[in-house]
């Protein structure tokens, strides 16, 4: 039901209209009737009618003045003037005060009913509009943080127009006073301490909590504006009157944010800070630097404030991967895990010092590993094994949160590569040692057999062969050769009547005297003494 107020100084008119109109059937309720505009104003203030039917000529306050009052103070209340005066001046003023209908007396109940039905249609439309507008305003208010965030995101992308900026900022309650501005991005390094403490909680809550703490600490102190970015990270726009003040306030605020988030949420955070700008329309430049600074977390580690000044383009010259690959390979071949770790970490440190971005760092690390593997000269089976690990690493490349984590993985693969090489060398060494022993067995009687001759036969360097042979047999090649010759000499001295010089010749000694010296050293007796002792038995 729409509430109706009837205003007319003639009692009979008020009575006739009140009694001859089926208010309820038409959707109205006559809440009061007044004899002048002054009384009507008081009723309007108390009952807030939807529709006022008023005469023009009345004492104290006439109908036009009442229409003006309604227009200025009750915009949702509609007015219909019922007048006995068909004057243009009245009609013109009625239009000025947005009177819904201007009808002349006398008017019949059916005519007034028709006017009221038209008024109801207009009131229905107005109510629908108000309801819709109310819903829209409610939705706008409930989504205001989202709209605010979208606007600030747009501002930091450089998509806003200067001429619309002030209006939008006022509408969304965004205040950025000051002469200088800077931006920062705050993000959690590892959300798991919070998520593990509160099982069932989603990552979004952890990210919102970081935003909420940051907003309270910064906005309440009027240091800047805080919102959540599209990726749920927390973004801060700082403002200040000068650069020194701006940087000092930003550092102090972000340090407190990190401390508070750690205490309340158990999460370490990193902040990337952009460059100072003096024009709010250039905030996008600061924000780009803040994003680039935050990327340094991959190089330098988290739980810190990363300033855009740390980005040093002058250090972005190409890195000599082959130099580092040779040093890592040396550790791999030597089986020295300490050297491997030292060189891989050293390579990573050069990437940090040159401020190499994440993508290029990953490519460099990949090239380092491939260079080491390709130079290791593995057997096919072992090569397939290590390439499988390398392929798995490639699939993990862009999942690493830190360069240090990736370095650790590469160190592990190089360590495995070193073990495979060692196994390969061990197997190869055993085979070569066995071949050398076979060579001794077949050629011990030849006085030309030497370390050089066996190395020529095996196609190996003397130093490598000597090391390998000693490792797998426990004795040097000359010791093994001499041992074999002494064993054969003893057999000949025991089982034949050959003289010492004849035995010496048969076991590869061209000098009988040298044979006697070597034999006595090996057995404690001269060949002649040994033969007499053994032949008597």
């Amino acid at each position: 039901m729409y509430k109706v107020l009837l205003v007319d100084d003639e009692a009979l008119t008020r009575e006739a209209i009140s009694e001859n109109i089926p208010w309820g059937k038409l959707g109205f309720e006559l809440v009061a009737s007044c004899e002048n505009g002054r009384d009507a104003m008081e009723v309007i203030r108390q009952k807030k009618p939807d529709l006022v039917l008023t005469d023009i000529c009345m004492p104290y306050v006439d109908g036009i003045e009442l229409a003006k009052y309604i227009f200025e103070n009750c915009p949702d209340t509609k007015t219909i003037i019922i007048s006995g005066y068909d004057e243009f001046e009245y009609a013109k003023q009625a239009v000025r005060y947005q009177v819904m209908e201007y009808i002349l007396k006398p008017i019949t109940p059916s005519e007034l009913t028709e006017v009221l039905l038209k008024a109801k249609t207009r009131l229905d439309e107005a109510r629908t509009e108000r309801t819709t507008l109310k819903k829209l305003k409610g939705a706008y208010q409930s989504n205001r943080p989202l709209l605010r965030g979208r606007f600030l995101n747009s501002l930091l992308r450089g998509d806003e127009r200067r001429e619309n900026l002030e209006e939008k900022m006022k509408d969304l309650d965004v205040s950025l006073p000051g002469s200088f501005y800077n931006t920062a991005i705050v993000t959690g390094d590892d959300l798991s301490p919070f998520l593990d403490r509160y099982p069932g909680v989603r990552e979004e809550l952890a990210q919102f909590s970081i935003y909420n703490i940051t907003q309270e600490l910064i906005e309440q102190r009027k240091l800047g504006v805080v919102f959540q970015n599209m990726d749920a990270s927390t973004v801060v726009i700082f403002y200040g009157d000068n650069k020194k003040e701006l940087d000092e306030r930003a550092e102090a605020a972000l340090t407190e944010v990190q401390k508070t988030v750690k205490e309340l949420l158990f999460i370490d955070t990193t902040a990337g800070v952009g460059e100072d700008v003096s024009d709010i329309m250039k905030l996008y430049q600061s924000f780009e630097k803040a994003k680039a600074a935050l990327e340094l977390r991959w190089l330098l580690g988290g739980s810190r404030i990363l300033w855009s000044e740390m980005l040093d383009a002058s250090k972005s010259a190409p890195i000599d991967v082959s130099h580092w690959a040779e040093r890592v390979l040396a550790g791999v071949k030597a089986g020295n895990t300490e050297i491997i770790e030292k060189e891989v970490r050293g390579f990573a440190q050069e990437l940090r010092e040159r401020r190499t971005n994440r993508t290029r760092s990953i490519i460099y690390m990949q090239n380092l590993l491939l260079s080491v593997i390709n130079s290791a000269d593995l057997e096919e089976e072992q090569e397939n094994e290590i390439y499988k690990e390398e392929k798995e690493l490639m699939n993990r490349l862009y999942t690493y949160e830190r360069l240090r984590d990736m370095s650790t993985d590469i160190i592990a693969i190089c360590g495995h590569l070193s073990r495979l090489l060692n196994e390969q060398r061990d197997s190869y060494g055993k085979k070569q040692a066995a071949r050398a022993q076979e060579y001794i067995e077949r050629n011990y009687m030849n006085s030309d057999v030497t370390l050089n001759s066996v190395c020529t036969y095996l196609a190996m360097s003397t130093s490598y062969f000597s090391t390998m042979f000693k490792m797998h047999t426990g004795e040097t090649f000359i010791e093994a050769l001499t041992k074999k010759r002494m064993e054969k000499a003893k057999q000949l001295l025991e089982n034949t009547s050959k003289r010492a010089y004849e035995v010496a010749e048969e076991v590869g000694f061209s000098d009988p005297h040298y044979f006697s010296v070597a034999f006595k050293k090996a057995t404690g007796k001269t060949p002649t003494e040994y033969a007499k002792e053994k032949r008597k038995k």
Side-chain angles (χ1 to χ4, degrees):
M1 292 287 186
Y2 292 110
K3 293 182 290 184
V4 179
L5 170 63
L6 175 61
V7 188
D8 198 304
D9 62 336
E10 295 180 6
L12 290 176
T13 301
R14 295 199 304 274
E15 183 179 341
I17 292 176
S18 299
E19 294 180 356
N20 292 305
I21 299 298
W23 300 102
K25 290 182 179 180
L26 299 177
F28 293 98
E29 175 190 3
L30 184 63
V31 294
S33 59
C34 301
E35 61 182 355
N36 60 67
R38 184 179 62 186
D39 294 343
M41 288 179 183
E42 183 61 30
V43 172
I44 289 170
R45 283 192 288 269
Q46 293 178 3
K47 296 185 179 288
K48 296 180 175 53
D50 300 293
L51 180 64
V52 174
L53 302 177
T54 181
D55 190 11
I56 285 185
C57 291
M58 297 180 296
Y60 307 116
V61 175
D62 66 18
I64 295 298
E65 290 179 279
L66 181 60
K68 178 182 178 183
Y69 172 81
I70 293 170
F71 172 74
E72 293 176 348
N73 297 278
C74 307
D76 292 335
T77 299
K78 304 300 180 185
T79 303
I80 295 176
I81 289 179
I82 305 175
S83 174
Y85 300 92
D86 184 11
E87 294 187 14
F88 177 72
E89 187 59 34
Y90 284 145
K92 187 169 70 172
Q93 291 185 67
V95 170
R96 180 187 305 166
Y97 301 129
Q98 295 186 2
V99 171
M100 184 183 291
E101 293 283 349
Y102 188 97
I103 54 180
L104 297 175
K105 295 178 181 178
I107 185 170
T108 65
S110 61
E111 290 173 334
L112 184 55
T113 296
E114 186 177 342
V115 170
L116 287 171
L117 287 174
K118 288 171 61 178
K120 183 177 182 300
T121 300
R122 297 274 297 277
L123 287 168
D124 286 342
E125 291 172 353
R127 175 177 285 180
T128 300
E129 287 178 2
R130 287 196 303 273
T131 301
T132 301
L133 185 60
K134 185 177 180 181
K135 288 181 180 179
L136 290 173
K137 286 182 176 179
Y140 176 80
Q141 289 300 323
S142 63
N143 287 286
R144 208 162 181 229
L146 176 62
L147 296 172
R148 184 173 181 264
R150 284 182 178 174
F151 163 69
L152 291 171
N153 267 306
S154 177
L155 179 63
L156 294 187
R157 288 195 306 269
D159 292 340
E160 290 298 321
R161 299 171 65 86
R162 193 183 295 274
E163 55 266 29
N164 300 328
L165 196 61
E166 187 176 346
E167 182 183 349
K168 285 187 177 182
M169 289 174 66
K170 182 179 180 180
D171 188 41
L172 293 167
D173 195 24
V174 174
S175 177
L176 292 171
S179 303
F180 291 91
Y181 311 92
N182 203 344
T183 59
I185 306 170
V186 180
T187 184
D189 295 332
D190 180 7
L191 305 180
S192 59
F194 178 80
L195 301 177
D196 293 343
R197 196 176 184 90
Y198 303 104
V201 168
R202 296 168 62 93
E203 285 188 5
E204 289 81 358
L205 179 59
Q207 291 166 329
F208 177 80
S209 300
I210 293 172
Y211 155 71
N212 188 250
I213 290 171
T214 307
Q215 184 186 42
E216 286 188 9
L217 290 175
I218 291 176
E219 289 195 357
Q220 286 183 3
R221 300 176 189 179
K222 300 188 183 306
L223 302 175
V225 171
V226 184
F227 67 99
Q228 271 193 299
N229 203 0
M230 302 306 288
D231 62 359
S233 58
T234 297
V235 179
V236 185
I237 302 176
F238 288 104
Y239 50 78
D241 293 326
N242 60 71
K243 287 187 176 184
K244 187 170 185 273
E245 175 195 50
L246 183 64
D247 292 343
E248 288 175 352
R249 290 168 65 180
E251 182 171 16
L254 292 172
T255 299
E256 187 171 2
V257 165
Q258 289 180 318
K259 179 184 175 184
T260 306
V261 170
K262 180 68 173 178
E263 289 176 352
L264 298 180
L265 306 180
F266 320 103
I267 296 173
D268 289 317
T269 54
T270 296
V273 186
E275 64 180 6
D276 300 332
V277 294
S278 57
D279 184 352
I280 199 169
M281 297 305 293
K282 293 184 178 179
L283 273 172
Y284 70 92
Q285 295 178 354
S286 175
F287 190 55
E288 287 301 315
K289 286 293 182 70
K291 288 189 287 186
L294 187 62
E295 277 197 11
L296 291 176
R297 177 176 61 165
W298 195 81
L299 284 172
L300 306 179
S303 191
R304 63 176 71 196
I305 299 173
L306 299 168
W307 300 86
S308 58
E309 289 81 358
M310 295 178 178
L311 297 162
D312 190 349
S314 65
K315 293 182 179 179
S316 61
I319 295 174
D320 186 358
V321 178
S322 61
H323 163 75
W324 287 101
E326 288 173 5
R327 298 173 69 162
V328 174
L329 182 62
V332 168
K333 288 184 173 180
N336 192 320
T337 54
E338 291 183 0
I339 292 178
I340 293 171
E341 178 162 7
K342 176 187 174 184
E343 300 305 333
V344 173
R345 298 289 185 202
F347 181 63
Q349 184 59 26
E350 183 169 356
L351 293 175
R352 293 187 186 96
E353 291 173 355
R354 292 179 180 248
R355 298 295 187 257
T356 312
N357 64 41
R358 179 172 182 165
T359 301
R360 289 182 65 84
S361 293
I362 289 172
I363 293 171
Y364 275 130
M365 278 290 188
Q366 180 182 4
N367 289 342
L368 174 76
L369 182 59
L370 288 173
S371 295
V372 172
I373 293 174
N374 290 336
S375 302
D377 196 23
L378 289 169
E379 292 180 355
E380 184 177 354
E381 183 178 346
Q382 292 173 319
E383 193 173 67
N384 289 339
E385 182 178 341
I386 207 71
Y387 272 122
K388 180 181 178 183
E389 282 192 43
E390 187 267 342
K391 184 178 179 181
E392 291 172 355
L393 172 70
M394 294 304 110
N395 292 333
R396 295 194 300 272
L397 281 180
Y398 289 91
T399 66
Y400 292 103
E401 293 296 327
R402 308 284 184 278
L403 175 60
R404 182 174 184 82
D405 299 335
M406 185 179 182
S407 301
T408 299
D409 218 345
I410 287 179
I411 289 167
I413 294 176
C414 288
H416 185 198
L417 175 62
S418 181
R419 291 189 295 275
L420 289 176
L421 276 177
N422 188 55
E423 290 172 6
Q424 181 174 299
R425 281 194 302 267
D426 189 55
S427 175
Y428 176 72
K430 284 181 181 178
K431 290 179 182 178
Q432 294 298 78
R435 288 183 66 196
Q437 287 173 323
E438 291 173 1
Y439 180 83
I440 291 172
E441 188 70 36
R442 293 195 306 268
N443 298 284
Y444 70 88
M445 69 291 295
N446 188 344
S447 61
D448 293 334
V449 172
T450 62
L451 177 61
N452 286 331
S453 69
V454 72
C455 288
T456 301
Y457 169 70
L458 296 174
M460 297 175 71
S461 69
T462 55
S463 59
Y464 179 64
F465 170 77
S466 297
T467 301
M468 175 272 299
F469 190 85
K470 176 84 172 177
M471 182 190 304
H472 292 288
T473 65
E475 56 190 0
T476 67
F477 174 75
I478 297 301
E479 287 172 344
L481 176 61
T482 301
K483 180 180 177 182
K484 185 65 180 179
R485 284 172 169 172
M486 292 302 107
E487 288 175 357
K488 292 298 182 180
K490 286 190 288 184
Q491 290 176 9
L492 290 171
L493 290 170
E494 287 179 31
N495 302 314
T496 71
S497 58
K498 291 182 179 181
R499 293 176 179 272
Y501 73 88
E502 294 176 312
V503 171
E505 186 177 353
E506 284 198 31
V507 296
F509 284 89
S510 57
D511 184 348
H513 176 70
Y514 179 63
F515 167 69
S516 295
V517 173
F519 190 86
K520 187 171 184 178
K521 184 179 179 181
T523 64
K525 298 178 178 64
T526 66
T528 302
E529 290 171 343
Y530 186 85
K532 285 181 180 181
E533 182 182 317
K534 295 295 182 180
R535 288 173 184 175
K536 283 181 181 180
K537 295 179 180 180

